[in-house]
Amino acid sequence: MPEHTAASRLQLPGLCFLLQILNILLFAVFVRYNPESSPGRCPPQLNCSRRNQDSGFQQPRFQDVHIQVLLSFGLLVAFLGCYGPGSAAISILIIAFAIQWAVLIQGILYFFLNGKIYVGAQSMVSADFCTAAVLISTGAVLGRVNPVQMLVLALLEITLCILNEYILLSLMGVSDRGRSLTVHTFGAYFGLMVSRVLYQPHKDKRKREEQQNKGHQTDVFAVVGTIYLWIFWPSFTSTTTAHDNAENWAVLNTYFSLVASTVSTFIISPVLYKESTPRMVQIQDATLAGMAVMGMAGEMLVTPFGALIAGFLVGLISPLGFRFFTPVLHSRLKIQDTCGVHNVHGLPGILGALLGTLLTLLATADTYGDRLELVFPLVAQGSRTVTDQALIQLSALPLTLLLATLGGCLTG
Protein backbone atom coordinates (compact mmCIF):
# COMPACT_ATOMS: atom_id res chain seq x y z
CA MET A 1 0.00 0.00 0.00
CA PRO A 2 2.78 2.55 0.76
CA GLU A 3 4.37 1.75 -2.60
CA HIS A 4 1.06 2.35 -4.36
CA THR A 5 0.62 5.63 -2.47
CA ALA A 6 4.11 6.79 -3.44
CA ALA A 7 3.48 5.90 -7.08
CA SER A 8 0.20 7.81 -7.06
CA ARG A 9 1.90 10.80 -5.46
CA LEU A 10 4.50 10.91 -8.25
CA GLN A 11 2.01 10.73 -11.13
CA LEU A 12 1.35 14.45 -11.22
CA PRO A 13 5.02 15.56 -10.91
CA GLY A 14 5.96 13.00 -13.56
CA LEU A 15 3.33 14.16 -16.04
CA CYS A 16 4.16 17.82 -15.37
CA PHE A 17 7.84 17.09 -16.01
CA LEU A 18 7.16 15.30 -19.30
CA LEU A 19 4.75 17.96 -20.58
CA GLN A 20 7.03 20.83 -19.62
CA ILE A 21 10.06 19.23 -21.29
CA LEU A 22 7.92 18.66 -24.39
CA ASN A 23 6.84 22.32 -24.41
CA ILE A 24 10.42 23.53 -23.96
CA LEU A 25 11.66 21.41 -26.86
CA LEU A 26 8.83 22.51 -29.16
CA PHE A 27 9.34 26.17 -28.24
CA ALA A 28 13.07 25.85 -28.89
CA VAL A 29 12.51 24.39 -32.34
CA PHE A 30 9.51 26.37 -33.59
CA VAL A 31 8.66 29.50 -31.56
CA ARG A 32 10.13 32.92 -32.35
CA TYR A 33 9.03 36.50 -31.59
CA ASN A 34 7.16 38.36 -34.31
CA PRO A 35 9.01 40.47 -36.85
CA GLU A 36 8.53 44.21 -36.51
CA SER A 37 4.96 45.34 -37.08
CA SER A 38 5.71 47.74 -39.91
CA PRO A 39 3.26 46.98 -42.75
CA GLY A 40 6.02 47.42 -45.29
CA ARG A 41 8.08 44.69 -43.69
CA CYS A 42 5.29 42.19 -43.19
CA PRO A 43 5.87 39.01 -45.23
CA PRO A 44 2.86 38.26 -47.43
CA GLN A 45 2.55 34.74 -46.01
CA LEU A 46 2.09 35.99 -42.42
CA ASN A 47 -1.32 36.88 -41.06
CA CYS A 48 -0.59 40.60 -40.75
CA SER A 49 -4.09 41.53 -39.62
CA ARG A 50 -3.56 39.52 -36.44
CA ARG A 51 0.07 40.42 -35.99
CA ASN A 52 -0.46 44.17 -36.30
CA GLN A 53 -2.57 44.09 -33.16
CA ASP A 54 0.67 43.68 -31.17
CA SER A 55 1.04 47.44 -30.81
CA GLY A 56 1.36 49.30 -27.54
CA PHE A 57 -2.36 49.64 -26.85
CA GLN A 58 -2.66 45.87 -26.79
CA GLN A 59 -0.50 45.46 -23.68
CA PRO A 60 -2.93 46.84 -21.03
CA ARG A 61 -5.75 44.79 -22.52
CA PHE A 62 -3.58 41.69 -22.45
CA GLN A 63 -2.97 42.31 -18.75
CA ASP A 64 -6.71 42.63 -18.16
CA VAL A 65 -7.40 39.36 -19.96
CA HIS A 66 -4.65 37.51 -18.11
CA ILE A 67 -5.82 38.79 -14.73
CA GLN A 68 -9.35 37.77 -15.65
CA VAL A 69 -8.29 34.21 -16.49
CA LEU A 70 -5.91 33.81 -13.55
CA LEU A 71 -7.99 35.34 -10.77
CA SER A 72 -11.63 35.37 -11.82
CA PHE A 73 -11.82 31.93 -13.40
CA GLY A 74 -9.51 30.45 -10.78
CA LEU A 75 -11.73 31.76 -8.01
CA LEU A 76 -14.97 30.85 -9.78
CA VAL A 77 -14.18 27.14 -9.51
CA ALA A 78 -13.19 27.55 -5.86
CA PHE A 79 -16.61 28.46 -4.47
CA LEU A 80 -17.34 24.97 -3.17
CA GLY A 81 -16.25 24.74 0.43
CA CYS A 82 -14.85 21.21 0.15
CA TYR A 83 -12.80 21.92 -2.99
CA GLY A 84 -11.84 25.60 -2.65
CA PRO A 85 -8.08 25.80 -1.93
CA GLY A 86 -7.22 22.68 -3.91
CA SER A 87 -9.23 23.65 -6.97
CA ALA A 88 -7.71 27.14 -7.00
CA ALA A 89 -4.22 25.65 -6.93
CA ILE A 90 -4.99 23.18 -9.71
CA SER A 91 -6.55 26.00 -11.76
CA ILE A 92 -3.21 27.80 -11.71
CA LEU A 93 -1.47 24.62 -12.88
CA ILE A 94 -3.99 24.21 -15.70
CA ILE A 95 -3.49 27.84 -16.74
CA ALA A 96 0.31 27.50 -16.69
CA PHE A 97 0.24 24.45 -18.96
CA ALA A 98 -2.68 25.44 -21.19
CA ILE A 99 -1.18 28.79 -22.18
CA GLN A 100 2.00 27.13 -23.42
CA TRP A 101 0.13 24.43 -25.33
CA ALA A 102 -2.36 26.92 -26.81
CA VAL A 103 0.46 29.13 -28.10
CA LEU A 104 1.91 26.13 -29.94
CA ILE A 105 -1.36 24.84 -31.41
CA GLN A 106 -2.60 28.30 -32.42
CA GLY A 107 0.80 29.11 -33.85
CA ILE A 108 0.58 26.16 -36.21
CA LEU A 109 -2.77 27.36 -37.55
CA TYR A 110 -2.34 31.15 -37.47
CA PHE A 111 1.30 32.19 -37.21
CA PHE A 112 3.29 29.44 -38.96
CA LEU A 113 5.77 30.82 -41.51
CA ASN A 114 8.88 29.22 -42.97
CA GLY A 115 8.77 26.45 -40.40
CA LYS A 116 8.52 28.82 -37.42
CA ILE A 117 5.75 30.04 -35.12
CA TYR A 118 5.78 33.81 -34.61
CA VAL A 119 4.23 34.90 -31.31
CA GLY A 120 3.29 38.26 -29.84
CA ALA A 121 0.74 39.88 -27.55
CA GLN A 122 -2.20 38.79 -29.70
CA SER A 123 -1.18 35.14 -29.64
CA MET A 124 -0.97 35.32 -25.85
CA VAL A 125 -4.46 36.85 -25.66
CA SER A 126 -5.83 34.08 -27.87
CA ALA A 127 -4.13 31.50 -25.66
CA ASP A 128 -5.82 33.01 -22.62
CA PHE A 129 -9.22 32.66 -24.31
CA CYS A 130 -8.68 28.94 -24.93
CA THR A 131 -7.45 28.53 -21.37
CA ALA A 132 -10.71 30.07 -20.16
CA ALA A 133 -12.65 27.40 -22.08
CA VAL A 134 -10.68 24.68 -20.28
CA LEU A 135 -11.39 26.25 -16.89
CA ILE A 136 -15.09 26.35 -17.73
CA SER A 137 -15.00 22.64 -18.55
CA THR A 138 -13.23 21.77 -15.30
CA GLY A 139 -16.14 23.40 -13.46
CA ALA A 140 -18.41 20.62 -14.74
CA VAL A 141 -16.18 17.79 -13.46
CA LEU A 142 -14.70 19.39 -10.36
CA GLY A 143 -14.34 16.93 -7.50
CA ARG A 144 -14.53 13.83 -9.71
CA VAL A 145 -11.26 14.05 -11.64
CA ASN A 146 -7.76 14.24 -10.23
CA PRO A 147 -5.08 16.77 -11.29
CA VAL A 148 -3.47 14.28 -13.69
CA GLN A 149 -6.79 13.81 -15.48
CA MET A 150 -7.31 17.57 -15.58
CA LEU A 151 -3.99 18.00 -17.38
CA VAL A 152 -5.01 15.37 -19.92
CA LEU A 153 -8.34 17.17 -20.32
CA ALA A 154 -6.50 20.45 -20.94
CA LEU A 155 -4.18 18.83 -23.48
CA LEU A 156 -7.04 17.48 -25.57
CA GLU A 157 -9.50 20.32 -25.12
CA ILE A 158 -7.03 23.04 -26.07
CA THR A 159 -6.38 21.24 -29.36
CA LEU A 160 -10.07 20.85 -30.20
CA CYS A 161 -10.99 24.32 -28.95
CA ILE A 162 -8.43 25.95 -31.24
CA LEU A 163 -9.56 23.79 -34.15
CA ASN A 164 -13.15 24.93 -33.57
CA GLU A 165 -12.00 28.54 -33.33
CA TYR A 166 -9.98 28.25 -36.54
CA ILE A 167 -12.90 26.75 -38.47
CA LEU A 168 -15.38 29.36 -37.23
CA LEU A 169 -13.33 32.55 -37.23
CA SER A 170 -10.86 32.00 -40.06
CA LEU A 171 -12.48 29.57 -42.51
CA MET A 172 -16.16 30.49 -42.07
CA GLY A 173 -15.69 34.17 -41.22
CA VAL A 174 -17.96 34.07 -38.16
CA SER A 175 -18.00 37.20 -36.01
CA ASP A 176 -17.56 36.01 -32.40
CA ARG A 177 -14.84 38.18 -30.93
CA GLY A 178 -16.31 38.05 -27.43
CA ARG A 179 -16.33 34.24 -27.66
CA SER A 180 -19.94 33.31 -26.89
CA LEU A 181 -19.42 30.18 -28.97
CA THR A 182 -15.72 29.39 -28.98
CA VAL A 183 -15.20 29.83 -25.22
CA HIS A 184 -18.49 29.74 -23.27
CA THR A 185 -20.54 27.29 -25.32
CA PHE A 186 -17.64 25.06 -26.30
CA GLY A 187 -16.18 24.93 -22.80
CA ALA A 188 -19.53 24.25 -21.13
CA TYR A 189 -20.69 21.39 -23.36
CA PHE A 190 -17.23 19.85 -23.62
CA GLY A 191 -17.14 19.63 -19.83
CA LEU A 192 -20.72 18.36 -19.60
CA MET A 193 -19.99 15.50 -21.99
CA VAL A 194 -16.87 14.55 -20.03
CA SER A 195 -19.06 14.54 -16.92
CA ARG A 196 -21.61 12.30 -18.66
CA VAL A 197 -19.00 9.71 -19.59
CA LEU A 198 -17.57 9.76 -16.06
CA TYR A 199 -20.97 9.29 -14.41
CA GLN A 200 -20.82 6.88 -11.46
CA PRO A 201 -24.03 6.82 -9.37
CA HIS A 202 -22.52 5.55 -6.10
CA LYS A 203 -19.84 8.24 -6.14
CA ASP A 204 -22.04 11.06 -7.40
CA LYS A 205 -24.38 10.72 -4.41
CA ARG A 206 -21.48 11.21 -2.01
CA LYS A 207 -20.15 14.15 -4.03
CA ARG A 208 -23.51 15.90 -3.92
CA GLU A 209 -23.50 15.60 -0.14
CA GLU A 210 -19.99 17.04 0.03
CA GLN A 211 -20.99 20.01 -2.07
CA GLN A 212 -23.49 21.06 0.55
CA ASN A 213 -20.56 21.92 2.82
CA LYS A 214 -20.54 25.62 2.05
CA GLY A 215 -19.52 28.27 4.53
CA HIS A 216 -17.85 31.63 4.99
CA GLN A 217 -14.98 30.65 2.71
CA THR A 218 -17.48 30.06 -0.09
CA ASP A 219 -18.76 33.62 -0.02
CA VAL A 220 -15.24 35.05 0.25
CA PHE A 221 -14.21 33.34 -2.98
CA ALA A 222 -17.46 34.40 -4.66
CA VAL A 223 -17.12 38.04 -3.56
CA VAL A 224 -13.56 38.37 -4.83
CA GLY A 225 -14.33 36.53 -8.07
CA THR A 226 -17.39 38.69 -8.77
CA ILE A 227 -15.49 41.92 -8.14
CA TYR A 228 -12.82 40.88 -10.62
CA LEU A 229 -15.51 39.97 -13.15
CA TRP A 230 -17.01 43.46 -12.93
CA ILE A 231 -13.61 45.14 -13.28
CA PHE A 232 -11.96 43.10 -16.00
CA TRP A 233 -14.57 41.21 -18.01
CA PRO A 234 -15.43 44.08 -20.42
CA SER A 235 -11.77 44.11 -21.44
CA PHE A 236 -11.92 40.34 -21.75
CA THR A 237 -14.84 40.47 -24.21
CA SER A 238 -13.51 43.45 -26.19
CA THR A 239 -9.79 42.75 -26.43
CA THR A 240 -10.04 41.00 -29.80
CA THR A 241 -12.24 43.61 -31.47
CA ALA A 242 -10.81 44.88 -34.70
CA HIS A 243 -10.68 48.56 -33.77
CA ASP A 244 -11.18 50.91 -30.86
CA ASN A 245 -14.59 52.00 -32.20
CA ALA A 246 -15.86 48.43 -32.06
CA GLU A 247 -14.25 48.01 -28.65
CA ASN A 248 -16.36 50.87 -27.24
CA TRP A 249 -19.54 49.11 -28.27
CA ALA A 250 -18.40 45.82 -26.76
CA VAL A 251 -17.44 47.40 -23.42
CA LEU A 252 -20.64 49.39 -23.01
CA ASN A 253 -22.95 46.60 -24.12
CA THR A 254 -21.25 44.20 -21.71
CA TYR A 255 -21.68 46.59 -18.80
CA PHE A 256 -25.35 47.18 -19.58
CA SER A 257 -25.96 43.45 -19.80
CA LEU A 258 -24.22 42.55 -16.56
CA VAL A 259 -25.99 45.22 -14.50
CA ALA A 260 -29.38 44.06 -15.79
CA SER A 261 -28.62 40.40 -15.13
CA THR A 262 -27.54 41.21 -11.59
CA VAL A 263 -30.82 43.01 -10.88
CA SER A 264 -32.71 40.02 -12.33
CA THR A 265 -31.13 37.77 -9.73
CA PHE A 266 -32.56 39.88 -6.92
CA ILE A 267 -35.96 39.55 -8.59
CA ILE A 268 -36.07 35.81 -9.24
CA SER A 269 -33.99 34.31 -6.41
CA PRO A 270 -36.43 35.13 -3.55
CA VAL A 271 -39.18 33.53 -5.65
CA LEU A 272 -37.21 30.32 -6.18
CA TYR A 273 -35.51 30.01 -2.80
CA LYS A 274 -36.31 30.79 0.83
CA GLU A 275 -33.66 33.50 1.26
CA SER A 276 -34.91 37.06 0.81
CA THR A 277 -31.52 38.15 -0.51
CA PRO A 278 -29.52 36.13 -3.08
CA ARG A 279 -26.30 34.51 -1.92
CA MET A 280 -23.09 35.89 -3.34
CA VAL A 281 -22.58 32.77 -5.43
CA GLN A 282 -25.89 33.47 -7.19
CA ILE A 283 -24.83 37.04 -7.93
CA GLN A 284 -21.56 35.70 -9.30
CA ASP A 285 -23.45 33.34 -11.63
CA ALA A 286 -25.74 36.14 -12.82
CA THR A 287 -22.74 38.33 -13.56
CA LEU A 288 -21.16 35.59 -15.65
CA ALA A 289 -24.37 34.84 -17.54
CA GLY A 290 -25.01 38.50 -18.32
CA MET A 291 -21.56 38.89 -19.81
CA ALA A 292 -21.51 35.57 -21.67
CA VAL A 293 -24.64 36.52 -23.61
CA MET A 294 -22.82 39.58 -24.98
CA GLY A 295 -19.84 37.62 -26.31
CA MET A 296 -20.94 37.55 -29.94
CA ALA A 297 -23.41 40.44 -29.96
CA GLY A 298 -21.35 42.89 -27.90
CA GLU A 299 -19.65 44.62 -30.81
CA MET A 300 -22.83 44.58 -32.90
CA LEU A 301 -25.62 47.16 -32.91
CA VAL A 302 -27.39 45.88 -29.78
CA THR A 303 -28.20 49.42 -28.54
CA PRO A 304 -28.15 50.16 -24.78
CA PHE A 305 -31.76 49.11 -24.16
CA GLY A 306 -31.20 45.92 -26.17
CA ALA A 307 -28.22 45.00 -23.98
CA LEU A 308 -30.34 45.68 -20.89
CA ILE A 309 -33.10 43.41 -22.19
CA ALA A 310 -30.66 40.61 -23.04
CA GLY A 311 -29.00 40.83 -19.63
CA PHE A 312 -32.33 40.97 -17.83
CA LEU A 313 -33.65 37.86 -19.60
CA VAL A 314 -30.50 35.78 -19.14
CA GLY A 315 -30.43 36.85 -15.49
CA LEU A 316 -33.82 35.16 -15.13
CA ILE A 317 -32.98 32.10 -17.22
CA SER A 318 -29.82 31.16 -15.36
CA PRO A 319 -31.42 30.81 -11.86
CA LEU A 320 -34.38 29.00 -13.39
CA GLY A 321 -31.92 26.60 -14.97
CA PHE A 322 -30.31 25.89 -11.60
CA ARG A 323 -33.69 25.35 -9.99
CA PHE A 324 -35.40 23.19 -12.61
CA PHE A 325 -33.05 22.06 -15.38
CA THR A 326 -29.99 20.98 -13.38
CA PRO A 327 -31.96 18.23 -11.54
CA VAL A 328 -33.16 16.98 -14.93
CA LEU A 329 -29.58 16.89 -16.23
CA HIS A 330 -28.64 14.64 -13.34
CA SER A 331 -31.69 12.41 -13.09
CA ARG A 332 -32.51 11.93 -16.78
CA LEU A 333 -29.25 12.58 -18.66
CA LYS A 334 -26.89 11.34 -15.94
CA ILE A 335 -24.81 14.52 -16.06
CA GLN A 336 -23.54 15.98 -12.81
CA ASP A 337 -22.66 19.65 -13.35
CA THR A 338 -20.61 20.54 -10.27
CA CYS A 339 -20.37 24.30 -10.80
CA GLY A 340 -23.48 24.74 -12.97
CA VAL A 341 -21.58 25.63 -16.15
CA HIS A 342 -24.62 24.74 -18.26
CA ASN A 343 -26.66 27.56 -16.71
CA VAL A 344 -23.81 30.06 -16.39
CA HIS A 345 -21.93 29.51 -19.66
CA GLY A 346 -23.78 27.03 -21.88
CA LEU A 347 -27.27 28.50 -22.07
CA PRO A 348 -26.07 32.15 -22.12
CA GLY A 349 -23.56 31.25 -24.84
CA ILE A 350 -26.28 29.72 -27.00
CA LEU A 351 -28.58 32.70 -26.41
CA GLY A 352 -25.69 35.02 -27.26
CA ALA A 353 -25.13 33.19 -30.54
CA LEU A 354 -28.82 33.42 -31.43
CA LEU A 355 -28.87 37.12 -30.54
CA GLY A 356 -25.78 37.69 -32.66
CA THR A 357 -27.44 35.94 -35.60
CA LEU A 358 -30.52 38.14 -35.29
CA LEU A 359 -28.43 41.30 -35.12
CA THR A 360 -26.46 40.23 -38.18
CA LEU A 361 -29.63 40.57 -40.23
CA LEU A 362 -29.69 44.26 -39.27
CA ALA A 363 -26.11 44.86 -40.41
CA THR A 364 -26.36 47.41 -43.20
CA ALA A 365 -24.23 50.34 -44.21
CA ASP A 366 -26.99 52.70 -43.07
CA THR A 367 -27.15 51.29 -39.53
CA TYR A 368 -23.43 50.55 -38.99
CA GLY A 369 -21.72 53.18 -41.13
CA ASP A 370 -17.94 52.76 -41.21
CA ARG A 371 -18.11 50.15 -38.46
CA LEU A 372 -19.64 47.61 -40.83
CA GLU A 373 -16.17 46.88 -42.22
CA LEU A 374 -14.84 46.35 -38.70
CA VAL A 375 -17.54 43.92 -37.58
CA PHE A 376 -18.49 42.23 -40.87
CA PRO A 377 -15.66 42.87 -43.35
CA LEU A 378 -16.91 40.36 -45.93
CA VAL A 379 -20.34 42.00 -45.99
CA ALA A 380 -18.80 45.46 -46.34
CA GLN A 381 -16.63 44.24 -49.22
CA GLY A 382 -19.63 42.76 -51.01
CA SER A 383 -18.35 39.18 -50.79
CA ARG A 384 -21.40 38.15 -48.79
CA THR A 385 -24.93 39.32 -48.35
CA VAL A 386 -26.31 40.02 -44.88
CA THR A 387 -28.48 36.90 -45.16
CA ASP A 388 -25.48 34.74 -46.03
CA GLN A 389 -23.54 36.09 -43.05
CA ALA A 390 -26.50 35.46 -40.73
CA LEU A 391 -26.82 31.85 -41.94
CA ILE A 392 -23.11 31.33 -41.34
CA GLN A 393 -23.42 32.82 -37.85
CA LEU A 394 -26.30 30.45 -37.14
CA SER A 395 -24.56 27.37 -38.55
CA ALA A 396 -21.60 28.01 -36.24
CA LEU A 397 -23.76 27.03 -33.24
CA PRO A 398 -24.50 23.39 -34.18
CA LEU A 399 -20.93 22.95 -35.43
CA THR A 400 -19.55 24.13 -32.07
CA LEU A 401 -21.96 21.88 -30.17
CA LEU A 402 -20.96 18.93 -32.35
CA LEU A 403 -17.22 19.40 -31.84
CA ALA A 404 -17.67 20.05 -28.11
CA THR A 405 -19.83 16.97 -27.49
CA LEU A 406 -17.70 14.62 -29.60
CA GLY A 407 -14.51 16.00 -28.06
CA GLY A 408 -15.97 15.71 -24.57
CA CYS A 409 -16.98 12.08 -25.17
CA LEU A 410 -13.51 11.22 -26.46
CA THR A 411 -11.80 12.96 -23.56
CA GLY A 412 -14.12 11.37 -20.99
Side-chain angles (χ1 to χ4, degrees), residues 63-64 66-76 220-236 255 258 280 284 287 291:
Q63 294 171 10
D64 289 350
H66 198 61
I67 291 173
Q68 178 69 46
V69 171
L70 183 63
L71 289 177
S72 296
F73 277 103
L75 292 170
L76 290 177
V220 170
F221 278 122
V223 168
V224 177
T226 304
I227 290 173
Y228 274 104
L229 284 172
W230 276 70
I231 296 173
F232 294 109
W233 193 283
S235 295
F236 185 82
Y255 268 121
L258 76 89
M280 198 64 210
Q284 166 189 285
T287 303
M291 292 182 288

Side-chain angles (χ1 to χ4, degrees), residues 320-360:
L320 288 170
F322 275 104
R323 184 67 176 83
F324 298 107
F325 198 71
T326 296
V328 175
L329 277 179
H330 185 266
S331 61
R332 300 291 179 86
L333 302 180
K334 310 303 180 184
I335 297 174
Q336 183 185 352
D337 186 3
T338 307
C339 294
V341 298
H342 179 262
N343 307 307
V344 177
H345 299 280
L347 283 177
I350 291 176
L351 294 174
L354 296 176
L355 176 61
T357 300
L358 177 63
L359 292 172
T360 302

Side-chain angles (χ1 to χ4, degrees), residues 119-142:
V119 300
Q122 181 59 29
S123 54
M124 290 296 291
V125 169
S126 299
D128 275 330
F129 273 110
C130 290
T131 301
V134 174
L135 293 176
I136 291 171
S137 297
T138 60
V141 297
L142 184 64

Side-chain angles (χ1 to χ4, degrees), residues 148-359:
V148 172
Q149 293 169 322
M150 283 193 177
L151 278 177
V152 175
L153 183 149
L155 178 73
L156 296 175
E157 183 174 0
I158 284 289
T159 306
L160 292 172
C161 179
I162 293 173
L163 176 62
N164 179 64
E165 178 189 278
Y166 180 73
I167 293 172
L168 264 59
L169 305 186
S170 294
L171 299 184
M172 296 174 61
V174 174
S175 178
D176 184 30
R177 292 190 175 91
R179 303 303 199 265
S180 279
L181 284 176
T182 55
V183 170
H184 295 283
T185 304
F186 185 91
Y189 289 98
F190 188 99
L192 289 172
M193 291 310 300
V194 173
S195 178
R196 174 63 184 88
V197 175
L198 297 180
Y199 179 76
Q200 294 177 301
H202 61 285
K203 290 185 178 181
D204 286 345
K205 182 178 180 180
R206 177 172 56 86
K207 293 300 180 182
R208 289 199 306 274
E209 293 172 354
E210 290 175 356
Q211 290 167 22
Q212 303 304 318
N213 179 24
K214 299 179 181 180
H216 177 69
Q217 175 182 295
T218 300
D219 286 334
V220 170
F221 278 122
V223 168
V224 177
T226 304
I227 290 173
Y228 274 104
L229 284 172
W230 276 70
I231 296 173
F232 294 109
W233 193 283
S235 295
F236 185 82
T237 56
S238 65
T239 192
T240 56
T241 51
H243 193 272
D244 286 348
N245 288 339
E247 178 195 356
N248 294 337
W249 280 7
V251 170
L252 294 174
N253 287 330
T254 301
Y255 268 121
F256 286 132
S257 179
L258 76 89
V259 297
S261 65
T262 301
V263 172
S264 292
T265 301
F266 282 84
I267 296 173
I268 193 68
S269 289
V271 177
L272 299 176
Y273 304 99
K274 295 180 180 179
E275 297 89 348
S276 59
T277 303
R279 298 183 67 251
M280 198 64 210
V281 170
Q282 295 170 319
I283 299 173
Q284 166 189 285
D285 293 338
T287 303
L288 270 170
M291 292 182 288
V293 77
M294 280 294 114
M296 178 182 288
E299 65 176 354
M300 300 179 188
L301 193 60
V302 183
T303 70
F305 79 89
L308 289 174
I309 293 174
F312 180 79
L313 291 177
V314 81
L316 298 176
I317 291 172
S318 180
L320 288 170
F322 275 104
R323 184 67 176 83
F324 298 107
F325 198 71
T326 296
V328 175
L329 277 179
H330 185 266
S331 61
R332 300 291 179 86
L333 302 180
K334 310 303 180 184
I335 297 174
Q336 183 185 352
D337 186 3
T338 307
C339 294
V341 298
H342 179 262
N343 307 307
V344 177
H345 299 280
L347 283 177
I350 291 176
L351 294 174
L354 296 176
L355 176 61
T357 300
L358 177 63
L359 292 172

